[in-house]
């Protein structure tokens, strides 16, 4: 009986050693140093624009309400605005700040904001507003007004 017990004891010992080696091997393989935690900070976004009037008179100001809608949140994301006017003349500004200069880049302090466009000509007017973020994502919003003079 003692011989059978010693044979089983030796067999169990080899199984325990084999399990220990297997556990250590799996642990070392799963802890690969090349795998780094990836932190996503570049999230696409959409720009929602409330409807605006179709017609504008010379000297009239129109409010354009915009909201940036993110698909994810990274606190250090900055947003910028640039605009290009290609028909007519007018001025675009953020609330009561000085008017934007075409083709210049301006930081946007909020994700929900209002722009004000004032017509300075009596012809139809068209311009594009580009909203971009600090990661190079950008959206184009086209605005067109017919002259009502």
């Amino acid at each position: 009986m003692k011989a059978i017990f010693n044979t089983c004891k030796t067999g169990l010992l080899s199984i325990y050693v084999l399990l220990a080696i297997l556990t250590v091997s799996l642990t070392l393989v799963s802890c690969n140093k090349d795998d780094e935690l990836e932190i996503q900070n570049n999230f696409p976004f959409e720009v929602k624009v409330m409807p605006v009037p179709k017609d504008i008179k010379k000297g009239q100001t129109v409010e354009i309400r915009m909201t940036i809608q993110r698909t994810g949140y990274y606190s250090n994301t900055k947003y910028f605005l640039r605009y290009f006017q290609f028909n007519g003349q007018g001025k675009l500004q953020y609330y009561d700040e000085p008017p934007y200069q075409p083709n210049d880049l301006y930081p946007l302090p909020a994700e929900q904001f209002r722009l004000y466009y004032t017509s300075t000509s009596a012809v139809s007017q068209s311009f594009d507003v580009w909203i971009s973020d600090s990661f190079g994502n950008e959206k184009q919003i086209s605005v067109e007004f017919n002259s009502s003079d």
Side-chain angles (χ1 to χ4, degrees):
M1 181 77 170
K2 238 180 180 184
I4 293 173
F5 181 71
N6 283 339
T7 305
C8 288
K9 190 176 178 184
T10 306
L12 286 177
L13 182 62
S14 62
I15 290 174
Y16 287 139
V17 169
L18 184 62
L19 283 174
I21 291 172
L22 184 61
T23 303
V24 169
S25 299
L26 287 173
T27 302
L28 290 175
V29 169
S30 66
C31 294
N32 188 355
K33 289 184 180 181
D34 292 339
D35 293 338
E36 294 183 19
L37 179 63
E38 290 185 29
I39 299 173
Q40 183 177 355
N41 54 15
N42 183 0
F43 295 100
F45 64 92
E46 294 295 324
V47 178
K48 301 296 180 191
V49 181
M50 295 295 291
V52 295
K54 294 180 182 179
D55 297 327
I56 194 168
K57 294 179 183 177
K58 184 177 180 178
Q60 182 181 358
T61 299
V62 173
E63 180 182 75
I64 305 168
R65 295 183 186 189
M66 296 186 179
T67 302
I68 297 171
Q69 295 182 328
R70 305 179 183 205
T71 58
Y73 184 79
Y74 179 65
S75 62
N76 292 332
T77 302
K78 306 279 188 248
Y79 292 96
F80 304 93
L81 178 139
R82 173 186 313 242
Y83 97 102
F84 307 95
Q85 182 147 9
F86 46 90
N87 284 334
Q89 291 181 336
K91 62 180 184 174
L92 184 70
Q93 62 192 86
Y94 181 84
Y95 292 102
D96 59 351
E97 293 185 8
Y100 291 134
Q101 295 299 311
N103 304 329
D104 285 352
L105 191 65
Y106 296 92
L108 282 172
E111 293 176 29
Q112 188 171 14
F113 55 96
R114 296 174 187 191
L115 299 175
Y116 294 93
Y117 179 78
T118 303
S119 170
T120 59
S121 64
V123 297
S124 295
Q125 295 157 61
S126 304
F127 60 92
D128 290 338
V129 175
W130 289 83
I131 307 291
S132 60
D133 67 9
S134 47
F135 298 101
N137 301 311
E138 58 185 11
K139 297 293 178 189
Q140 176 185 1
I141 296 95
S142 296
V143 180
E144 296 181 20
F145 295 111
N146 296 320
S147 174
S148 62
D149 287 339

